[in-house]
Amino acid sequence: MKTLEKDLALRRRYRAERFMMGLVALGTLLAFLILFLVLAYALAQGVGALNLDFFLKDMRPPGESGGGLRQAIVGTLIVDGLGLLIALPFGLAAGVLLAEYPDHPVNPYLRLLSDTLNGMPAILFGLLAFVLIVKPMGGFSGLSGAFALGFLMIPILARSTEGVLSLVPKEIREAGLALGLPRWRVILSLVLPTARAGLITGVLLAFARAAGEAAPLLFTAFGSPLLELNPLKPMDTLPLRLFAFAISPYEDWHRQAWAAGLVLFGLITLTSLLARWASRRF
Amino acid sequence: MKRLYTHFGDRIFATLLLLLALGVAALALLMAYELYRGGSLALQRFGLLGFALGREWDPVVQKTFGAWPYILGTLIVSFSALLLSFFPALAAAIFAAEYAPRWLAQVINFLLDLMAAVPSVVYGLWGIFVLAPWIRDKVQLPFYMWAAEQAPWLVPILGVPTGYGLMTAVLILASMIIPYTAALARDAIALVPKEHREAAYALGATRWEVMRLAILPLARGGIIAGTFLALARAVGETMAVTMVIGNSHKLPYTLFGGAATMPSVIANEFTEAVEDLHLSALIAVGFLLFLVSMAVNFTAAYVLRRQERLVKGVL
Amino acid sequence: MRKAFFGILALASLALAQQTITLVGAGATFPYPLMAKYGDEYTRLTGGKVRINYQSIGSGGGIRQFLEQTVHFGASDAPLDDTRMKEVRDRFKTGALNIGYALGAVVPIYNLPGVREPLRFSGSVLANIYLGRIKTWNDPTLQELNPNVKLPPLPITVVHRSDGSGTTYVWADYLSKVSPEWAQKVGRGTSLQWPVGVGGKGNEGVAGVVKQTPGAIGYVEVTYAKQNNLSYGAVQNKAGRFIQADLPSIKAAANVPLPGDMRVSLTDTAAPDGYPIASFTYLLLYENLSVNKAVKSEAEARALVEFVKWVLTEGQKFNEPLTYGALSSVAQQRALALLSRVTYEGKPIGKEIVGR
């Protein structure tokens, strides 16, 4: 009798185990369902719209077919690249300060403020760049877009730099200091090179994150139907153009929006893969 | 010379670092200040509370601005998305941390990274062309038609079956914030000391019982912190939501009908606000968004710090 | 050697950058297909020396960015009203010019699968739909106007603009004239407190939502309906006739006495063949271009005036293929007279270029 009860209890427990396992597997599938669907559609719809013109020609006026998104692709690289240049010194310095001078009195405040920035909605960086750059300069420009993206990248860089540097073994610093090197030489010539791979990964990931942003560029980079290389003029970027095309009624533009999505996704995946490769290679 | 190299070198280097780092701090303060200053015209006219709770956003006839429709929209959308995404995200974390073989766990981790990296305009694009039409034709229209005949009292709650609206926005957003909850939950589960699960297994517990009794209670803080981070993302998400939410600030909101959130109204109206007061009201919405995001992030950081201490205490 | 090469390259690119002028304009989405066409043709005509970057952000945006001086020219379907004209005069000590360059029509578009013939609307029915009084397509008042059409029992999805819009202004201006309730409750303006519906960004966005949504009704410039094969209805005018928007009916509506500053409302026209929801669409310029911070040099100012002159003269031939009315010769004279008032640093460049 007793064993039977025990048996039943055990069976019930196993049933619960199997049930929960199924539930967990199902939930996991559910979690990725929309991601799979988005990727599948982007591939199915985007590949058909991709051709050489897409990369080599500027966009056409509404209602006319053909053309490409050269201006947006080039614009993305310029605006995002400039943004990275703006963000690098600030982000790296904050990261180094946090990791290499752990007892610095400003650190608690710095970490707090940097984390605050990190959690801010991207569109607020656009508002800030509008107030700080667009209005005083008297016009929308690729540069103001670069500042908006730069602001966005700074806290990301600061955090990744701090994280990477804290992984560098203490012994390396101690060895340098024991040789009589000043601290700044130790950091520049020993610590940073040791952490090179991680630093590059962090930089690339920040770049990839900013490359997909449209919200901060709505009222900074503004958009342009023509290839523009002068960062003082309004510039186009892929996410910005994708947004405009997606809400439009033109079927040719819908096709190009899917293609833009695919290219954007490719750019970001490529950057992430590069980051992975860099973290192994260096 | 030697002194210059070591002593002053260190000083100069540290000062330089400090100056650049202070730039970062200044950026955060500047953001708060500029948003407050830009919004002060509207905030002074209506008062902070009056502005936040004002139900009318009327740039034409009465020229009154109240952010409540947008705050309410943001709250509904982000909390619903959080609720909807929580269990799938937790399941993915548990699966990756406990059930899956190593290679599969790596695949899941990769997918989580990927999910966070897909630009929000791409989610929005899919929402416009795939999800919204599907929801309208397969869910909303049949249900609406049924309700119109069988239960007319439901109709005002349902709203017009457009496809663009709260429902679609919540679904898209839920999927976008999964990686934030899942990644932190996974890390929290992985942080639970091995001895705990081994002890539980040794007592004859099944895998689920180990999870429920030994792991989840300890990982709770990390899971909660992850949901707060996901909430912060949801609150600030702009493009995907703007593209599918229908951009209507008419209260009361309905299940199928259009709505608007704080970021979506800024994206829609910012370049086009003609009146100074209107522009100021939009920046004031930005200021409120800043405050809400900050509160959510601080809570997440606080919970996470307590969790770290808890795990260390157990060790 | 290599250094010299790069030096020359840098110099060349600098020279190139100085030679090309990019004129930035922003505003109305109503004439966007036309503006984009102008820009494309004009860029080609000047061999790429003068390039036009027009961003369709909405007329509200056009007015705002014009006042913020972030653009060379603004564009709007609603002319600046008296208070704003005065604001420009007070702030910048110069006048603002509203230069009409094309005529357009706002049409009610809808997505009703299975309904082939164009629907008929009256002003009060449109007002009632947008006020949320008429909720389904088979409403008796709609059926009465369209006795031969089998209207489906679909709920009506009202689509309006989510951004500041001159199209909205024209639409609301018309509804205010035909519906006292609308005039009192909602009024006219570039962005409104909408009683019902979902918002789309720009004419593009509204057309996009309507195209995607069975049962939807929206309002857009007629070109958007034509380019995308969206059905659009005939609207009853003051004379009681149901008119579909086309070039003759748009031009008939514009057959009114034109004031010197071109600021005029064409809606609810008394002309028996006129389409009741027509409007001029305007370029906004400062009379004294030197006050505009976006205009950085005399060369830019001259290029701007040259471009506008081209739009008003040769460019007009691109209007009608895209269903925008070209200016009548009277209107063209008025517009050129306005343009000739433009000065830069005291130089009468407008007179000089227009007179040439």
Side-chain angles (χ1 to χ4, degrees):
Chain A
M1 196 63 201
K2 207 131 196 199
T3 45
L4 191 67
E5 252 170 43
K6 242 187 191 165
D7 212 36
L8 271 175
L10 200 61
R11 218 178 280 168
R12 204 164 46 234
R13 284 173 60 205
Y14 278 133
R15 230 185 354 245
E17 163 71 18
R18 270 200 302 277
F19 178 69
M20 286 318 291
M21 167 120 184
L23 214 59
V24 163
L26 191 75
T28 308
L29 277 181
L30 210 61
F32 295 113
L33 180 69
I34 287 189
L35 175 73
F36 289 144
L37 286 172
V38 170
L39 293 186
Y41 271 93
L43 273 174
Q45 308 272 341
V47 169
L50 273 184
N51 51 28
L52 216 55
D53 275 2
F54 186 85
F55 297 95
L56 296 181
K57 290 202 170 141
D58 292 347
M59 66 175 267
R60 299 292 306 150
E64 296 184 16
S65 57
L69 287 181
R70 178 182 65 161
Q71 91 282 4
I73 297 170
V74 174
T76 304
L77 295 177
I78 294 180
V79 172
D80 205 7
L82 280 177
L84 190 60
L85 284 184
I86 293 166
L88 263 181
F90 296 100
L92 282 184
V96 171
L97 193 70
L98 287 173
E100 297 297 310
Y101 297 81
D103 302 325
H104 204 288
V106 304
N107 276 4
Y109 307 100
L110 182 59
R111 188 170 287 120
L112 188 74
L113 289 172
S114 165
D115 283 352
T116 308
L117 276 182
N118 212 353
M120 279 302 141
I123 193 164
L124 293 184
F125 293 100
L127 279 184
L128 190 61
F130 179 84
V131 178
L132 292 184
I133 318 284
V134 177
K135 282 192 90 169
M137 270 185 39
F140 300 102
S141 60
L143 189 67
S144 60
F147 269 98
L149 293 186
F151 294 161
L152 180 100
M153 285 187 251
I154 285 175
I156 304 177
L157 282 174
R159 176 173 279 191
S160 71
T161 306
E162 186 196 358
V164 167
L165 293 187
S166 64
L167 291 179
V168 173
K170 249 198 222 108
E171 289 76 14
I172 289 189
R173 298 184 186 95
E174 280 160 6
L177 291 172
L179 283 175
L181 285 176
R183 203 163 172 187
W184 65 278
R185 286 295 315 229
V186 172
I187 294 171
L188 285 183
S189 315
L190 293 175
V191 179
L192 290 182
T194 313
R196 193 173 44 203
L199 291 175
I200 293 175
T201 307
V203 167
L204 286 173
L205 288 179
F207 184 85
R209 162 80 202 282
E213 287 290 351
L217 302 178
L218 286 172
F219 20 85
T220 52
F222 205 51
S224 160
L226 300 156
L227 182 66
E228 185 64 69
L229 299 174
N230 180 354
L232 297 179
K233 295 282 180 192
M235 276 185 163
D236 226 19
T237 74
L238 275 173
L240 216 48
R241 191 46 61 189
L242 195 165
F243 173 59
F245 277 11
I247 62 172
S248 83
Y250 300 101
E251 263 151 34
D252 220 52
W253 279 7
H254 294 167
R255 266 188 331 103
Q256 294 195 349
W258 282 109
L262 192 63
V263 169
L264 200 55
F265 182 70
L267 181 73
I268 286 163
T269 316
L270 200 72
T271 322
S272 309
L273 285 178
L274 214 62
R276 260 163 206 246
W277 176 77
S279 64
R280 279 191 209 130
R281 175 77 177 67
F282 292 106
Chain B
M1 195 60 210
K2 170 92 176 148
R3 208 176 132 74
L4 190 77
Y5 181 69
T6 53
H7 188 69
F8 286 108
D10 266 351
R11 278 246 176 118
I12 291 168
F13 184 69
T15 314
L16 202 66
L17 277 185
L18 186 65
L19 282 179
L20 286 171
L22 285 182
V24 180
L27 188 64
L29 298 176
L30 206 61
M31 182 181 261
Y33 171 73
E34 288 290 353
L35 290 177
Y36 180 74
R37 205 185 55 153
S40 62
L41 190 64
L43 290 175
Q44 269 161 23
R45 172 79 64 90
F46 306 109
L48 181 63
L49 217 63
F51 180 72
L53 298 179
R55 296 166 62 92
E56 294 286 318
W57 180 275
D58 179 356
V60 182
V61 183
Q62 307 163 46
K63 304 211 189 318
T64 54
F65 295 94
W68 180 243
Y70 307 116
I71 296 178
L72 184 68
T74 302
L75 292 178
I76 295 177
V77 171
S78 38
F79 276 103
S80 317
L82 196 64
L83 209 67
L84 208 61
S85 70
F86 181 73
F87 288 103
L90 191 61
I94 292 175
F95 191 74
E98 294 293 316
Y99 286 86
R102 225 179 111 82
W103 65 270
L104 194 56
Q106 267 176 353
V107 169
I108 289 177
N109 291 342
F110 172 74
L111 285 177
L112 286 178
D113 284 351
L114 194 65
M115 211 186 227
V118 173
S120 100
V121 278
V122 176
Y123 279 108
L125 180 71
W126 183 81
I128 288 183
F129 291 109
V130 185
L131 187 62
W134 187 84
I135 285 196
R136 182 190 58 233
D137 295 342
K138 297 285 185 293
V139 181
Q140 296 181 343
L141 261 181
F143 199 63
Y144 183 90
M145 290 303 185
W146 173 83
E149 280 182 16
Q150 306 292 325
W153 55 272
L154 259 178
V155 170
I157 302 171
L158 293 180
V160 180
T162 324
Y164 298 94
L166 275 180
M167 202 172 170
T168 315
V170 166
L171 275 175
I172 293 252
L173 197 55
S175 130
M176 291 178 74
I177 60 176
I178 280 178
Y180 299 96
T181 313
L184 256 84
R186 178 197 64 204
D187 294 349
I189 292 172
L191 262 177
V192 172
K194 230 201 217 131
E195 293 77 9
H196 267 258
R197 50 197 89 183
E198 279 163 5
Y201 277 125
L203 288 175
T206 64
R207 238 194 311 203
W208 171 247
E209 284 161 348
V210 173
M211 199 72 219
R212 190 166 56 93
L213 299 172
I215 298 177
L216 287 185
L218 271 178
R220 199 179 53 201
I223 295 169
I224 294 173
T227 56
F228 272 105
L229 277 190
L231 184 64
R233 284 286 148 192
V235 164
E237 176 49 48
T238 310
M239 299 316 287
V241 171
T242 305
M243 286 160 94
V244 297
I245 199 169
N247 301 312
S248 155
H249 59 258
K250 182 72 190 166
L251 292 177
Y253 289 141
T254 53
L255 192 58
F256 296 162
T261 65
M262 291 194 269
S264 81
V265 68
I266 300 175
N268 268 311
E269 296 186 7
F270 189 75
T271 46
E272 21 230 70
V274 184
E275 312 275 342
D276 282 336
L277 188 62
H278 188 182
L279 188 77
S280 171
L282 286 169
I283 300 183
V285 170
F287 181 65
L288 292 181
L289 185 58
F290 179 88
L291 293 183
V292 172
S293 306
M294 199 165 73
V296 176
N297 274 298
F298 279 1
T299 316
Y302 173 74
V303 176
L304 203 60
R305 209 155 297 154
R306 264 193 38 178
Q307 157 77 4
E308 272 164 13
R309 233 174 279 150
L310 183 78
V311 172
K312 264 185 208 144
V314 169
L315 276 172
Chain C
M1 185 60 209
R2 203 149 160 196
K3 240 182 199 163
F5 172 69
F6 278 117
I8 290 166
L9 204 70
L11 272 178
S13 65
L14 205 70
L16 205 71
Q18 273 173 353
Q19 264 183 11
T20 62
I21 290 174
T22 305
L23 298 175
V24 181
T29 59
F30 177 101
Y32 175 43
L34 181 60
M35 267 293 180
K37 184 76 187 164
Y38 286 157
D40 196 50
E41 294 290 337
Y42 196 69
T43 303
R44 197 172 310 155
L45 193 76
T46 58
K49 286 213 182 69
V50 178
R51 312 185 333 149
I52 314 295
N53 176 0
Y54 182 75
Q55 293 300 312
S56 61
I57 58 172
S59 294
I63 295 171
R64 179 84 216 175
Q65 299 314 324
F66 174 71
L67 295 176
E68 294 272 351
Q69 306 192 327
T70 54
V71 291
H72 290 96
F73 62 91
S76 171
D77 320 314
L80 298 182
D81 59 23
D82 292 339
T83 49
R84 213 142 281 133
M85 292 293 275
K86 187 171 169 309
E87 187 192 333
V88 171
R89 213 161 297 128
D90 293 347
R91 261 171 72 186
F92 307 116
K93 309 285 173 255
T94 183
L97 302 172
N98 301 270
I99 301 179
Y101 60 95
L103 289 158
V106 181
V107 296
I109 52 170
Y110 51 86
N111 181 341
L112 281 180
V115 176
R116 292 241 165 270
E117 51 272 72
L119 290 183
R120 294 170 147 203
F121 296 98
S122 67
S124 67
V125 161
L126 286 175
N128 279 333
I129 291 176
Y130 270 78
L131 282 167
R133 299 235 182 291
I134 299 179
K135 290 195 167 72
T136 53
W137 282 103
N138 58 354
D139 192 275
T141 50
L142 258 172
Q143 192 69 67
E144 204 177 305
L145 288 175
N146 301 282
N148 303 325
V149 182
K150 192 179 178 318
L151 288 166
L154 269 177
I156 299 180
T157 296
V158 171
V159 186
H160 55 70
R161 291 283 290 272
S162 64
D163 53 344
S165 153
T167 313
T168 297
Y169 181 88
V170 175
W171 183 251
D173 184 45
Y174 171 67
L175 293 182
S176 295
K177 283 182 186 174
V178 296
S179 159
E181 190 187 352
W182 182 276
Q184 183 223 331
K185 267 192 160 167
V186 189
R188 57 187 67 140
T190 50
S191 46
L192 303 174
Q193 167 87 329
W194 294 100
V196 287
V198 298
K201 195 165 155 64
N203 265 294
E204 304 91 318
V206 171
V209 173
V210 172
K211 190 171 185 164
Q212 297 279 321
T213 316
I217 184 169
Y219 58 91
V220 293
E221 212 291 324
V222 60
T223 306
Y224 287 92
K226 287 208 156 175
Q227 282 183 337
N228 296 291
N229 294 321
L230 293 162
S231 325
Y232 58 99
V235 182
Q236 193 172 30
N237 68 9
K238 216 175 194 169
R241 293 195 199 171
F242 290 95
I243 307 279
Q244 260 215 315
D246 54 15
L247 284 171
S249 66
I250 295 169
K251 284 179 163 172
N255 202 0
V256 293
L258 195 59
D261 62 359
M262 290 189 95
R263 295 191 297 145
V264 64
S265 161
L266 303 180
T267 55
D268 202 23
T269 178
D273 297 320
Y275 180 73
I277 326 176
S279 169
F280 273 112
T281 180
Y282 301 88
L283 283 176
L284 307 176
L285 292 181
Y286 288 97
E287 250 183 85
N288 176 3
L289 282 179
S290 13
V291 303
N292 187 345
K293 278 186 285 179
V295 178
K296 301 249 163 43
S297 67
E298 188 178 332
E300 282 191 13
R302 283 177 180 278
L304 178 58
V305 177
E306 291 275 9
F307 169 65
V308 178
K309 183 192 171 192
W310 178 84
V311 165
L312 293 174
T313 52
E314 281 160 59
Q316 289 291 307
K317 67 169 178 269
F318 298 110
N319 288 20
E320 309 223 327
L322 287 168
T323 337
Y324 292 91
L327 295 177
S328 66
S329 61
V330 179
Q332 191 183 34
Q333 290 312 318
R334 290 276 154 78
L336 286 170
L338 286 175
L339 182 64
S340 67
R341 279 161 53 181
V342 169
T343 61
Y344 185 80
E345 287 176 346
K347 289 178 209 160
I349 57 172
K351 203 167 282 169
E352 193 184 306
I353 291 169
V354 172
R356 202 165 52 218

